[in-house]
Amino acid sequence: MNLKFKHSGNAGDIIYSLNAIRSACELNDMNAVLFLKLDEPIELHPQFKHPLGGVMLNKYMFDNLKPLLMELDFIYDVMPYTNQKVDYDLDQFRKVGFNLGAGDIKRWYLYAYPELQKNFSLDYFFTSELPINDYIVVNRSERYNNGQVDYSILNKVEIPIYFVGTDTEFNLMKAKVWDLKHYKVKDFLELKDFISASKLFIGNQSMCYAIAEQTGCNRLLEVYFSCPNVITKGYEMYNQEGFEYALKENNLI
């Protein structure tokens, strides 16, 4: 038998829920079947733009996310949610009443299911056998942009810089980083490998950073001042000084 989980959130939130899912699986000595709800409406502040428009997860994102999730040894299957009975409704954290703009996304699920604290671990679980290569990967979604950082400093970097993300996101970054190249992946499993093999991944609070965080790769997070709910073990930049510090520490400028 398998434990059944439901999640209706964004791809990044789903990735951050994996720590809690693994805890539940270990407690019950079972693997997980993860049901993901498609086309769940999202409410955004007017200044934000979501790459999927008005929903948190669509079929395209589901199809790209599933190969990545299926790589994990505690995930038995990933399926669309169509009102199946589940053991853990991972959307319950939204009803607890805490501030969703603060804290650590990975721990949100513990507030709804406190028994998962018994063996909760922040260990990484996305692995890659690829060697580290001499390139940088950048992702910046249109949400959670910190106006105190200027990406044009990357024009001082002498190794290749690749962007992963939508065409719109790429064009916005290309206006700042002139030699930027757009790397397009077939799915998020390939994205994980490409990020893992980079000398440095740079991203804001997005799905791509969630993937990078779960690989444990060398990474730099752009922290959004109004919603600092991504806690990383990598470098952080809240302002330009933090950006330049991380680049100098990695001998990139």
Side-chain angles (χ1 to χ4, degrees):
M1 292 184 59
N2 297 296
L3 281 179
K4 298 178 177 63
F5 299 81
K6 170 208 167 196
H7 204 306
S8 301
N10 297 297
D13 293 344
I14 293 166
I15 291 169
Y16 283 129
S17 75
L18 291 171
N19 298 81
I21 292 173
R22 181 175 57 181
S23 293
C25 289
E26 291 177 351
L27 280 175
N28 293 277
D29 195 23
M30 296 182 187
N31 288 328
V33 175
L34 182 55
F35 296 107
L36 304 180
K37 189 173 182 181
L38 307 185
D39 301 321
E40 181 74 4
I42 185 172
E43 295 183 7
L44 291 175
H45 188 282
Q47 77 182 58
F48 287 153
K49 293 182 180 179
H50 193 280
L52 304 185
V55 301
M56 288 193 275
L57 192 76
N58 60 15
K59 183 65 162 52
Y60 172 81
M61 291 293 284
F62 175 91
D63 290 341
N64 279 271
L65 187 59
K66 182 172 180 176
L68 176 65
L69 298 176
M70 290 296 296
E71 186 185 47
L72 301 174
D73 58 9
F74 58 91
I75 300 292
Y76 179 79
D77 203 357
V78 181
M79 303 170 61
Y81 177 70
T82 54
N83 296 315
Q84 296 94 337
K85 183 179 179 180
V86 298
D87 302 293
Y88 289 89
D89 181 351
L90 298 176
D91 299 319
Q92 288 299 310
F93 75 85
R94 301 182 187 278
K95 300 179 181 179
V96 174
F98 63 93
N99 179 9
L100 297 180
D104 186 348
I105 293 177
K106 293 186 289 294
R107 295 184 180 275
W108 284 356
Y109 309 93
L110 306 183
Y111 306 144
Y113 297 101
E115 69 274 14
L116 300 184
Q117 298 179 62
K118 291 180 182 178
N119 63 332
F120 184 78
S121 170
L122 293 175
D123 292 344
Y124 311 125
F125 28 62
F126 290 154
T127 59
S128 176
E129 303 298 326
L130 298 174
I132 302 301
N133 289 280
D134 214 22
Y135 63 82
I136 291 174
V137 177
V138 177
N139 168 261
R140 197 189 201 201
S141 70
E142 292 185 80
R143 295 191 296 165
Y144 307 131
N145 288 186
N146 184 332
Q148 298 188 86
V149 297
D150 181 2
Y151 278 78
S152 63
I153 192 173
L154 293 177
N155 290 307
K156 296 182 179 181
V157 173
E158 296 183 354
I159 62 175
I161 304 175
Y162 295 95
F163 189 88
V164 290
T166 68
D167 290 340
T168 299
E169 293 165 350
F170 169 72
N171 289 329
L172 289 170
M173 186 60 70
K174 179 72 172 177
K176 298 177 179 291
V177 185
W178 310 315
D179 292 332
L180 191 68
K181 301 174 180 64
H182 197 181
Y183 189 89
K184 298 188 178 183
V185 298
K186 66 178 182 179
D187 57 38
F188 298 151
L189 179 59
E190 181 185 351
L191 176 61
K192 180 266 297 183
D193 287 335
F194 188 64
I195 288 173
S196 297
S198 66
K199 184 171 183 178
L200 178 68
F201 172 79
I202 304 170
N204 64 341
Q205 295 171 196
S206 66
M207 181 205 71
C208 290
Y209 198 87
I211 292 175
E213 183 67 22
Q214 298 289 33
T215 68
C217 70
N218 191 28
R219 59 206 181 280
L220 168 60
L221 173 67
E222 175 186 344
V223 179
Y224 184 63
F225 50 87
S226 294
C227 188
N229 58 13
V230 173
I231 307 301
T232 183
K233 293 183 180 179
Y235 295 95
E236 294 179 294
M237 56 173 170
Y238 185 79
N239 51 31
Q240 197 65 14
E241 288 77 8
F243 201 169
E244 294 183 12
Y245 171 79
L247 294 176
K248 289 175 181 176
E249 281 291 293
N250 286 276
N251 299 313
L252 292 169
I253 60 172

